Amino acid sequence: MAQTRSRDFLDIEKRRISTDNDREYDSEDEDPESATTSRSVSSQHAPMLNRAYSHRDRTGPILRLRPSVMRYACLGVAGILLLFMLSLVRFSQQSQKEVQQAIIQDKQSPKPPVWEEFPFLERYYGGVRALISRQSNKPEYPLDGDEVPVRIEPAQPDPETETPETPQSDEKPPAKPDLEGRAAVPDSIVFDPYPNYKSEEYIAEYGEKVDCFLDDTNTVQIPRVRIYEAVPQGFPDNVVGSAQLLGMRHDICYDRFGRLGPYGLGYSLNKGGSGAQQEGEREGADLVWQDHPEVDFRNVKWADVQQRCNAANAHRFKEQPEAKTPSFGAHTKRAAEEDVVPADNAHAKAPATKPKAGKSKIPRTAVVIRTWWDYQYTPEDLIYLRSLISELNVLSGGKYTVHFLIHVKDDNAQIWSDDEVYERVLHDSLPEEFRGMGTLWTERQMFLIYGGLEESWMRGLPVHGVYRSTFMPMQYFAYQHPEYDFFWHWEMDVRSTNHWYHFFESVSNWARKQPRRYLWERNARFYVPAEHGTWEDFSHMVRIQTDQGTNSANNVWSGLRAGGREPGSSDHKMSGDRAVWGPERPLDDDVSMPTDPEPPTTFEKDKYTWGVDEDADLISFNPFFDPDGTSWLLADDTTGYNITRGRPPRRTAIITASRLSRKLLVTMHRELSHNRHTMFSEMWPASCALHHGLKAVYAPHPVYIDRRWPTSYLEKTLNGGRNGASGGARTSVFGDREHNFRGTTWYYNAGFPEVLWHRWLGMKIFNAGGEVVEMEGEGRMCLPGMMLHPIKRVELVQEGKKAD
């Protein structure tokens, strides 16, 4: 009973307290006494009030959380804040790392070169319907600094061609516009760069030249190359070198049919041609075959053609020395003797009378084409090779003889121990029409011939390999062929719009005339006519730069070689260089040979006479630069030299296409076999000539560029080395700045030659050019003489055995 009354009392108190609390919080007019009562009751019954408040919080309008829930909520918020701060730290570190990587990458990957921002030139692609005389042409480039580029209007016939004031008797009427309103294609003319073989003066000097034919009955002749005595309107001038300086025609241009039509371009496979370029823009193309019909090259054996031609003209050339006995197999002996053909060749039609001999004998020259055993020859390659043989050998009466030096890349091929294997590999290495003109070689053979070399494994490659020692087989080939005085080292990726005889003879004759005084110094610089003026002005500038030095920012270290102090010191002084005069020997190696020439007088007493009318031992088509101090990667690829006090003096010419005398090649051969000395391929011939005092000449042939470079900037870029030369300093263009050659027509990695050659052939490349462009525009392209390198695998579009 007592417990029941106690629970009832508590229930009554709960209800009363709840009612009082409701009045305290909900009534706005409650009197003070009521409030006091409520507070006093609350103080007396604190535990019950706590429970009452808790009950009210769970059910009332204002929600209050339990302390445990609050603790968990606070911990959650704190955890979120901590994760947020950690994320910010992580993102900050990651961003900092990305910025650092971007900075490093920006340093390692420089910004695009300046030259890429220059605008492209457009008038290289002008056609035969826009021809204009060279004298009347306003070239698109280069222009004087204050000139504004001129917009070329649509092609119109040349007024001088339309209405000549004094027409020649053999000229044809001027071309008239065609039915579509375009300018008509003028007639091309035969190009004949050969001497007047029929003149009495020539016959008295060199003897009577016997004409050569493609067959053994002396009936099939090569059609002649044809030219236009004009250039497309606005055609740019070359920026480096000079055709006129070398004695070449600069006022002519070649279209593809006039240049390559004699060798199979433009007629069908049924007639023995290439099957390409039978459609499209062909107006005037048939003039190529008006005097001599198309040649069926399926029946031509070039080895026999060369042998007959050489034998018929043997009276014009020096007596051939007895062939050397090879030391590595009878098959090589046959290869060495393949050009020695008896005069009574049973397959040759003997002349009616014995040809007259002259008082002078012509030196023989070999043109050695470097190729390899599994090279896949395209129809365009065949055209290229036919042009070389025809223009250099057949039409010159045997002055040049073309060979193939073939690299067998499999060192395990038993070509040196089995004649049958040698003949089979040689047979399979050349197209049928060129068989009998090749000589095989391997890197293992070079290892045996030139044994004992120090192996440095420069760039991970062997010293006997073709990359580092391209001239090893060439040296040995020259040693085995004493009948030749000169050897053109030529490559399969070289092309030219020049007539080959015209180019080779012009370059050789110009090199012969060059005096030795300041020759190496002129050789070291690019000749830029727009900046240097005449060749005489250029030569004078070279003399001043060599003797006195330059104040260019690129030349701040020049005084160190002369014993001066560092830049900025009070006694620092710019200095010139000592000109090369005679052999420049290595510091600690005795390389002198009895055949080394010595200057006839001192440098100061010479009046630019030593070297004049002396044949060059080396002719290159890029400057001979000093690699010392440059960033060129292969500057230190010297083998066998004593380098205690430094590496030997060196010179380098990029691209191995060049002419070498037998004297130089035999000197290289003996230097390598006796002294165990060699260098990287492009450095070895020039450096050997420098050490032994032989005559080396850089021939400044015309080089074109694809963009509108300011010529002053271009000249400073190309000749940015020591004392105005192209090499000898870290600022040289050779090395990590070679990208500047990408837009030129002559360099090992240039891209412009591929574009020009394909479009000149009427092909579309990089979505430009092609048949439609020619038909709707100015016709097929017409290019002046220029050398192009590299050209890789041109795939002509053949039209099959289409009926003619």
Side-chain angles (χ1 to χ4, degrees):
M1 291 293 293
Q3 292 178 350
T4 304
R5 285 194 299 268
S6 177
R7 284 197 300 269
D8 294 340
F9 175 77
L10 290 174
D11 291 337
I12 294 169
E13 286 297 318
K14 288 179 182 179
R15 289 193 294 270
R16 187 178 63 79
I17 292 170
S18 177
T19 304
D20 292 342
N21 288 338
D22 289 342
R23 283 198 297 268
E24 179 182 357
Y25 290 98
D26 295 338
S27 176
E28 296 180 358
D29 302 327
E30 191 173 12
D31 57 356
E33 184 178 355
S34 299
T36 303
T37 303
S38 298
R39 285 195 292 272
S40 63
V41 174
S42 296
S43 62
Q44 294 174 3
H45 304 281
M48 287 183 279
L49 285 175
N50 287 338
R51 288 194 294 269
Y53 276 111
S54 299
H55 175 76
R56 190 184 70 83
D57 288 342
R58 288 195 298 269
T59 60
I62 300 177
L63 183 62
R64 292 181 180 272
L65 299 176
R66 291 181 179 180
S68 60
V69 175
M70 287 296 295
R71 284 196 299 270
Y72 289 129
C74 290
L75 288 175
V77 172
I80 293 173
L81 290 175
L82 180 61
L83 289 175
F84 180 70
M85 288 187 291
L86 291 176
S87 299
L88 288 177
V89 172
R90 182 174 176 273
F91 290 148
S92 176
Q93 292 176 344
Q94 185 175 359
S95 299
Q96 184 178 5
K97 185 177 179 180
E98 291 177 354
V99 170
Q100 291 175 349
Q101 290 178 347
I103 293 173
I104 295 174
Q105 186 176 3
D106 184 64
K107 291 180 179 179
Q108 294 177 347
S109 302
K111 296 179 181 179
V114 174
W115 62 268
E116 290 189 0
E117 300 179 0
F118 299 146
F120 283 100
L121 299 171
E122 301 176 356
R123 292 306 300 165
Y124 285 115
Y125 312 104
V128 292
R129 300 180 186 275
L131 296 180
I132 190 172
S133 66
R134 172 68 78 169
Q135 293 78 11
S136 302
N137 184 48
K138 293 182 179 179
E140 181 186 17
Y141 175 85
L143 303 173
D144 293 336
D146 57 348
E147 284 190 73
V148 177
V150 179
R151 179 178 175 83
I152 305 299
E153 299 296 332
Q156 298 294 332
D158 184 0
E160 294 187 6
T161 306
E162 283 190 340
T163 57
E165 296 180 2
T166 56
Q168 302 295 326
S169 59
D170 58 346
E171 286 188 351
K172 296 183 178 180
K176 297 180 180 180
D178 61 13
L179 296 178
E180 298 179 358
R182 297 185 303 168
V185 179
D187 290 345
S188 59
I189 62 173
V190 172
F191 184 51
D192 185 8
Y194 299 94
N196 185 0
Y197 293 122
K198 303 298 183 182
S199 68
E200 295 181 1
E201 294 80 6
Y202 183 90
I203 295 174
E205 185 68 27
Y206 300 110
E208 186 178 356
K209 181 246 184 183
V210 178
D211 291 338
C212 302
F213 299 83
L214 301 186
D215 62 331
D216 54 11
T217 60
N218 294 352
T219 57
V220 179
Q221 293 192 37
I222 286 285
R224 303 301 187 259
V225 170
R226 300 182 73 91
I227 61 169
Y228 295 96
E229 291 186 312
V231 295
Q233 184 183 5
F235 194 90
D237 285 342
N238 56 281
V239 71
V240 171
S242 170
Q244 289 175 286
L245 175 67
L246 300 178
M248 295 189 294
R249 292 281 300 271
H250 79 295
D251 58 342
I252 61 176
C253 71
Y254 304 81
D255 77 313
R256 59 178 175 268
F257 294 113
R259 183 68 190 88
L260 302 179
Y263 313 113
L265 184 72
Y267 60 96
S268 73
L269 295 168
N270 281 338
K271 288 188 174 182
S274 65
Q277 296 291 336
Q278 297 184 73
E279 303 292 342
E281 222 289 324
R282 287 182 56 94
E283 184 176 344
D286 293 336
L287 290 175
V288 176
W289 304 287
Q290 70 175 0
D291 297 328
H292 303 288
E294 299 94 329
V295 175
D296 187 349
F297 289 102
R298 296 171 296 181
N299 301 321
V300 175
K301 306 299 180 187
W302 290 105
D304 295 340
V305 172
Q306 287 197 126
Q307 290 170 356
R308 289 194 300 266
C309 193
N310 293 346
N313 288 277
H315 61 284
R316 301 169 59 225
F317 302 99
K318 294 180 180 179
E319 295 293 331
Q320 293 186 354
E322 183 178 353
K324 293 183 178 293
T325 302
S327 58
F328 53 87
H331 46 264
T332 309
K333 182 177 180 180
R334 287 200 300 273
E337 295 174 348
E338 67 180 3
D339 295 311
V340 183
V341 181
D344 57 347
N345 188 342
H347 297 288
K349 185 176 180 180
T353 59
K354 186 177 181 179
K356 297 179 181 179
K359 61 182 181 180
S360 301
K361 298 298 182 180
I362 302 173
R364 286 182 177 271
T365 301
V367 179
V368 182
I369 308 295
R370 299 297 300 268
T371 183
W372 53 95
W373 70 331
D374 56 351
Y375 184 88
Q376 300 299 312
Y377 293 84
T378 67
E380 191 267 347
D381 288 325
L382 303 183
I383 291 174
Y384 160 60
L385 296 171
R386 292 166 189 163
S387 69
L388 278 168
I389 303 171
S390 299
E391 294 164 17
L392 294 175
N393 178 266
V394 179
L395 297 177
S396 73
K399 185 172 184 179
Y400 297 82
T401 303
V402 178
H403 295 261
F404 292 90
L405 193 56
I406 305 167
H407 179 199
V408 179
K409 296 184 178 181
D410 184 3
D411 283 336
N412 295 318
Q414 298 301 315
I415 57 178
W416 310 120
S417 58
D418 192 321
D419 289 350
E420 183 179 350
V421 174
Y422 184 95
E423 295 298 337
R424 175 174 54 80
V425 172
L426 183 59
H427 179 275
D428 295 341
S429 297
L430 288 173
E432 183 177 357
E433 60 185 286
F434 303 113
R435 287 170 185 162
M437 299 171 62
T439 301
L440 304 181
W441 73 277
T442 65
E443 292 182 6
R444 180 171 292 177
Q445 176 199 7
M446 295 300 106
F447 179 83
L448 295 174
I449 294 174
Y450 299 113
L453 289 181
E454 173 190 358
E455 183 57 86
S456 59
W457 290 102
M458 177 70 70
R459 303 192 73 184
L461 298 170
V463 69
H464 293 92
V466 67
Y467 180 74
R468 291 179 61 193
S469 297
T470 303
F471 284 97
M472 276 188 185
M474 189 72 176
Q475 293 164 194
Y476 195 71
F477 182 84
Y479 184 72
Q480 295 294 332
H481 283 271
E483 68 271 24
Y484 298 111
D485 294 284
F486 301 99
F487 297 80
W488 283 94
H489 184 264
W490 221 238
E491 302 174 0
M492 283 299 301
D493 59 357
V494 174
R495 295 293 184 271
S496 179
T497 55
N498 285 294
H499 188 285
W500 290 113
Y501 183 90
H502 183 48
F503 179 73
F504 279 9
E505 287 292 298
S506 298
V507 167
S508 301
N509 293 335
W510 184 83
R512 185 185 305 114
K513 298 175 184 177
Q514 299 311 298
R516 282 176 172 257
R517 182 165 180 168
Y518 292 108
L519 177 59
W520 282 102
E521 290 69 36
R522 294 192 299 274
N523 287 339
R525 291 159 171 82
F526 287 93
Y527 172 47
V528 183
E531 292 295 314
H532 295 143
T534 66
W535 182 255
E536 289 72 21
D537 294 336
F538 172 73
S539 301
H540 178 70
M541 181 201 70
V542 171
R543 181 178 67 83
I544 299 299
Q545 288 180 341
T546 303
D547 292 346
Q548 301 180 10
T550 65
N551 289 322
S552 168
N554 295 338
N555 206 45
V556 295
W557 297 99
S558 64
L560 294 182
R561 289 190 178 181
R565 300 297 180 87
E566 293 186 2
S569 60
S570 58
D571 58 348
H572 171 71
K573 182 181 179 181
M574 297 292 180
S575 68
D577 295 310
R578 179 179 58 83
V580 174
W581 189 245
E584 287 281 315
R585 308 292 192 189
L587 293 175
D588 298 302
D589 293 280
D590 183 10
V591 301
S592 61
M593 295 183 182
T595 55
D596 294 350
E598 293 292 338
T601 183
T602 63
F603 178 81
E604 291 74 18
K605 291 183 179 179
D606 180 76
K607 303 299 181 184
Y608 293 91
T609 56
W610 186 36
V612 176
D613 294 329
E614 175 190 11
D615 282 308
D617 294 294
L618 177 61
I619 300 175
S620 171
F621 299 109
N622 262 332
F624 297 114
F625 73 95
D626 183 357
D628 187 28
T630 69
S631 59
W632 189 55
L633 293 176
L634 296 154
D636 293 336
D637 190 0
T638 63
T639 300
Y641 291 91
N642 186 341
I643 58 174
T644 302
R645 293 192 295 162
R647 297 191 181 275
R650 309 178 299 288
R651 295 295 185 272
T652 304
I654 303 299
I655 302 178
T656 59
S658 53
R659 194 195 79 168
L660 304 93
S661 69
R662 187 172 186 272
K663 180 196 300 184
L664 173 58
L665 286 168
V666 171
T667 300
M668 294 161 62
H669 167 74
R670 289 174 176 164
E671 180 82 26
L672 185 54
S673 57
H674 297 174
N675 299 330
R676 307 294 194 269
H677 292 165
T678 187
M679 298 185 188
F680 180 72
S681 299
E682 293 170 316
M683 190 160 54
W684 178 226
S687 298
C688 194
L690 180 68
H691 297 171
H692 294 273
L694 302 181
K695 184 178 181 181
V697 177
Y698 155 52
H701 65 109
V703 175
Y704 294 80
I705 200 163
D706 66 344
R707 305 182 191 231
R708 195 186 302 278
W709 285 57
T711 54
S712 60
Y713 174 74
L714 180 139
E715 193 277 331
K716 289 180 175 62
T717 300
L718 299 185
N719 294 324
R722 174 182 167 82
N723 282 333
S726 59
R730 179 62 181 79
T731 51
S732 168
V733 71
F734 296 105
D736 55 15
R737 301 176 69 198
E738 291 181 15
H739 59 82
N740 288 285
F741 293 107
R742 287 283 297 163
T744 67
T745 52
W746 185 261
Y747 206 65
Y748 80 91
N749 64 346
F752 190 33
E754 292 275 5
V755 176
L756 271 182
W757 188 252
H758 278 80
R759 291 196 59 177
W760 181 73
L761 287 173
M763 304 173 68
K764 192 173 185 178
I765 183 171
F766 299 136
N767 204 32
E771 179 179 324
V772 175
V773 173
E774 291 185 348
M775 295 291 290
E776 296 178 352
E778 299 176 357
R780 57 188 178 272
M781 285 174 57
C782 196
L783 293 175
M786 62 176 67
M787 299 291 292
L788 300 170
H789 181 278
I791 304 294
K792 305 291 187 183
R793 296 201 64 80
V794 178
E795 300 291 347
L796 294 174
V797 179
Q798 294 180 287
E799 300 177 18
K801 294 186 177 182
K802 182 179 178 180
D804 295 294

